[in-house]
Amino acid sequence: KLSKMEQYAGTIDNLLAQHGEAIVKACIGGLSGGMPQILWPSLSECLFAITLHIISTSHGADEPNSILYNWFYSAISAGVSSGDSDVTQIVNNSITPELKSNVISIVFGLAKEGVKSKPKAKMLLMDFGKICKGETSTDALLAYSLG
C-alpha cells in the first residue's frame, strides 16, 4: 500500500500545490461550523492526510511545513464559510491566536509521529470543531498537548 502511495507522490504533490490551500480552507471552514457535524470525521481525515503527506515528504525541510502552516493559519483565521451569523460570532470569539498555533502545532506533531497517530489527530480536529461551536472549552486541547 505504501509503495502504491510512493508511486503517485509526484501527482499528489502537484495536486496539493494547485489545490491544497483551498482544500485545507474548506475542511477547516467545515469543522468550524460551515458543514454538518456528521462530516467532521471525513474533514479531519482529509486534513490529517494532507498534513501527513507534506510532512513525511518534506524530509526536514522547513519550506513545505511553513507553507502548510500558513494554509492552516489562514484557514482558521478565515472562520466559517456558512452564512450563519450566530455561528460566525461564536467562532470569532473562540479562536485566539494562541489556539490557532496550538491546534496547528499539535496536528503537525501528530503527523510527524506517522499514520499511527491518525485517530488522535481526528479527535483533536473534531474537538477543535466543538470549540468553534462553543460546545467545549479550549481545555479539551490539554490532553493532546500533554500526550
Side-chain angles (χ1 to χ4, degrees):
K1 191 173 182 180
L2 186 58
S3 64
K4 201 64 143 163
M5 284 290 293
E6 290 171 356
Q7 179 182 350
Y8 295 105
T11 303
I12 293 169
D13 289 341
N14 289 335
L15 291 170
L16 284 175
Q18 292 173 26
H19 306 290
E21 185 173 13
I23 295 168
V24 169
K25 186 174 183 177
C27 290
I28 294 284
L31 286 169
S32 60
M35 293 183 194
Q37 203 161 349
I38 196 163
L39 297 176
W40 288 7
S42 298
L43 297 169
S44 299
E45 181 138 359
C46 183
L47 282 170
F48 185 71
I50 289 169
T51 306
L52 180 64
H53 177 77
I54 291 175
I55 286 179
S56 65
T57 58
S58 66
H59 306 293
D62 285 336
E63 187 178 331
N65 294 349
S66 65
I67 291 169
L68 183 62
Y69 182 92
N70 289 337
W71 289 354
F72 266 81
Y73 199 88
S74 168
I76 294 171
S77 298
V80 183
S81 57
S82 76
D84 188 340
S85 61
D86 291 337
V87 173
T88 302
Q89 188 62 38
I90 291 168
V91 172
N92 290 341
N93 291 337
S94 304
I95 308 302
T96 63
E98 181 183 12
L99 176 64
K100 292 175 196 176
S101 295
N102 285 345
V103 168
I104 297 167
S105 296
I106 296 168
V107 170
F108 281 28
L110 291 170
K112 287 177 184 172
E113 293 175 16
V115 74
K116 69 178 184 226
S117 63
K118 180 170 73 170
K120 193 172 183 180
K122 286 176 68 173
M123 288 179 4
L124 162 74
L125 290 165
M126 289 189 288
D127 281 345
F128 167 73
K130 290 177 185 175
I131 292 167
C132 291
K133 288 183 75 175
E135 293 178 1
T136 192
S137 73
T138 57
D139 293 342
L141 298 181
L142 289 175
Y144 302 101
S145 56
L146 297 175

